[in-house]
Amino acid sequence: TTFLFFYDPMTDTVVALPKTSTVNTVAVRTSFFDANGDLWVSNRNNQYGKLDVENQTVVNPVVLSGIRPSTLSKMGSTTYAIDRNNPRFGTFDTTSLQFTSIAPLVCCGLNIVNDGTTMYLVAQQSISTINTTTGARGTTHTLTPAGQEISEMRFLGTTLYASSGPRGGPGGGQNVLVSINPTTGAIATVHTFPVGTFISGLEVFNP
């Protein structure tokens, strides 16, 4: 019944936007803002395009080839990506839609996020920094408690938030918003949403 919702972690309040259609669903896998403030997404059909929030559609979606991104993370003028089909870390050209590999990765549970200066990687139930030039990982910290499926991650200020849920659940089972300490791997529950809520995309808005 909900297309997307705004959540304020300071006040623990939610404002939901209901679905306008019970047929057309935008199953977002990852998203990012461009320099104009437009929200671009890759969906679960491997289509890429600008999200029209008002009409709840992806505008002129293009099917990607050569990459199936699980995460896009824009840092400065460069957009980085994880290719989930052939696990790799690299850059994604948002104009040509070409992926350039930087380093191979070991499956699975791969996600990236940055705080504006440092890129972090979640892989195999651990978190570390990742060098954006070489792909080398820094010191890894095991995510605790174990068994959580991390979907999307975003920094809000200095706090790293992520959508999470039990591994193997339907749609990833991502109905929990958590915070992650990137220097220890400790996970803390921030808010548990109703069963049936699947947080497939996560973005930060500063009103």
Side-chain angles (χ1 to χ4, degrees):
T1 59
T2 299
F3 174 66
L4 62 78
F5 58 86
F6 299 93
Y7 174 74
D8 185 340
M10 302 300 106
T11 60
D12 195 35
T13 54
V14 178
V15 176
L17 299 183
K19 284 182 182 178
T20 57
S21 170
T22 58
V23 177
N24 183 30
T25 300
V26 179
V28 172
R29 189 180 294 280
T30 185
S31 61
F32 77 97
F33 283 113
D34 66 13
N36 298 318
D38 290 322
L39 191 60
W40 292 75
V41 300
S42 173
N43 67 19
R44 292 180 180 271
N45 293 324
N46 212 38
Q47 296 173 322
Y48 173 82
K50 184 168 64 175
L51 183 66
D52 180 340
V53 174
E54 183 177 3
N55 294 303
Q56 302 185 6
T57 59
V58 178
V59 180
N60 299 323
V62 176
V63 177
L64 298 176
S65 61
I67 178 180
R68 192 173 186 86
S70 62
T71 311
L72 299 171
S73 184
K74 190 173 186 295
M75 187 163 72
S77 59
T78 304
T79 300
Y80 295 88
I82 296 290
D83 179 11
R84 63 180 281 119
N85 276 6
N86 180 16
R88 298 172 292 169
F89 170 72
T91 59
F92 178 68
D93 189 315
T94 57
T95 301
S96 66
L97 307 185
Q98 295 301 303
F99 175 77
T100 302
S101 178
I102 293 174
L105 295 171
V106 178
C107 185
C108 289
L110 303 169
N111 284 278
I112 50 174
V113 68
N114 75 86
D115 61 4
T117 56
T118 303
M119 186 72 70
Y120 294 88
L121 168 73
V122 163
Q124 296 183 305
Q125 297 288 287
S126 67
I127 188 168
S128 70
T129 59
I130 182 168
N131 187 299
T132 55
T133 301
T134 66
R137 295 188 70 180
T139 303
T140 60
H141 303 281
T142 301
L143 296 178
T144 54
Q148 298 298 299
E149 184 87 23
I150 302 298
S151 165
E152 280 265 88
M153 303 183 293
R154 292 292 183 271
F155 275 94
L156 176 56
T158 59
T159 302
L160 175 56
Y161 291 95
S163 53
S164 178
R167 291 180 64 81
Q174 317 297 354
N175 70 317
V176 183
L177 185 70
V178 301
S179 63
I180 302 175
N181 185 329
T183 62
T184 66
I187 298 174
T189 297
V190 175
H191 191 100
T192 300
F193 294 92
V195 174
T197 302
F198 302 120
I199 308 172
S200 57
L202 184 66
E203 271 301 340
V204 171
F205 293 81
N206 291 298

